[in-house]
């Protein structure tokens, strides 16, 4: 009988711990980054709807109690977008299908256009420049011999 009572206690502990964690998930995150991530679907929808960063910053302060500057908000947003893009590319490499987080609506046509266009590669310019042959000062000065004669 002792074994069945231990398993009941263990199951009770698991259910209590899950209930406590579920309650804590609904609490306000401790960091501003966590708060922005928690509100990301709403922020993304506002941006898709044409709202400015300044107005979103103001709304976050008034409605959510998150005080931050526009540059900080844009930094958080770019981090979230980079993380989501990396996750999408990793999921695409493994063959998983990723659905966008934005709710369907009038802004979904903009998301469709963005998905149809090729992704922007931030390193494209650097790759293009590095693919060209390097500048060689010796070639410009003809290896130190202005008349092109090999004196040695």
């Amino acid at each position: 009988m002792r074994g069945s009572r231990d398993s009941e206690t263990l199951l009770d502990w698991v259910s209590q711990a899950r209930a406590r964690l579920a309650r804590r998930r609904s609490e306000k995150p401790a960091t501003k980054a966590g708060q922005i991530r928690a509100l990301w679907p709403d922020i993304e929808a506002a941006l898709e709807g044409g709202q400015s960063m300044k107005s979103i910053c103001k709304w976050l302060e008034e409605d959510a109690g998150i005080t931050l500057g526009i540059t900080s908000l844009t930094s958080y947003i770019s981090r979230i977008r980079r993380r989501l893009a990396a996750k999408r590319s990793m999921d695409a490499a493994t063959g998983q299908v990723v659905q966008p987080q934005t709710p369907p609506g009038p802004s979904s046509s903009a998301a469709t256009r963005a998905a149809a266009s090729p992704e922007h590669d931030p390193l494209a310019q650097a790759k293009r420049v590095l693919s060209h042959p390097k500048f060689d000062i010796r070639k410009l000065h003809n290896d130190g011999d202005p008349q092109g004669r090999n004196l040695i």
Side-chain angles (χ1 to χ4, degrees):
M1 279 297 224
R2 181 167 163 79
S4 65
R5 186 163 178 92
D6 288 342
S7 65
E8 287 176 18
T9 306
L10 181 63
L11 290 176
D12 188 41
W13 174 85
V14 170
S15 63
Q16 288 176 1
R18 284 183 179 160
R20 285 191 300 267
L21 288 173
R23 279 194 306 271
R24 289 186 184 223
R25 273 197 311 263
S26 64
E27 291 178 4
K28 185 176 182 178
T31 63
K32 286 184 182 180
Q35 294 166 15
I36 298 298
R37 278 194 308 270
L39 298 173
W40 173 241
D42 300 317
I43 294 170
E44 186 179 30
L47 289 170
E48 289 286 326
Q51 296 298 329
S52 68
M53 289 287 188
K54 186 175 181 179
S55 61
I56 292 172
C57 235
K58 182 180 170 190
W59 295 340
L60 287 172
E61 185 173 358
E62 291 173 355
D63 300 332
I66 304 171
T67 306
L68 60 138
I70 294 173
T71 54
S72 296
L73 179 61
T74 56
S75 175
Y76 288 130
I77 288 173
S78 66
R79 287 183 208 169
I80 291 169
R81 286 178 172 164
R82 277 195 306 264
R83 183 179 294 152
L84 289 174
K87 185 177 181 184
R88 276 190 220 112
S89 66
M90 194 164 44
D91 289 345
T94 61
Q96 296 178 358
V97 178
V98 178
Q99 296 295 327
Q101 287 188 347
T102 55
S107 65
S108 64
S109 62
T112 306
R113 283 193 309 265
S117 67
E119 288 192 35
H120 173 70
D121 183 11
L123 298 177
Q125 182 181 8
K127 290 177 184 175
R128 190 172 51 250
V129 169
L130 291 174
S131 68
H132 296 305
K134 293 183 172 60
F135 176 73
D136 188 5
I137 191 76
R138 290 174 295 183
K139 193 171 202 172
L140 177 72
H141 291 288
N142 203 7
D143 202 18
D145 186 12
Q147 271 98 28
R149 295 176 286 140
N150 191 357
L151 299 175
I152 299 177

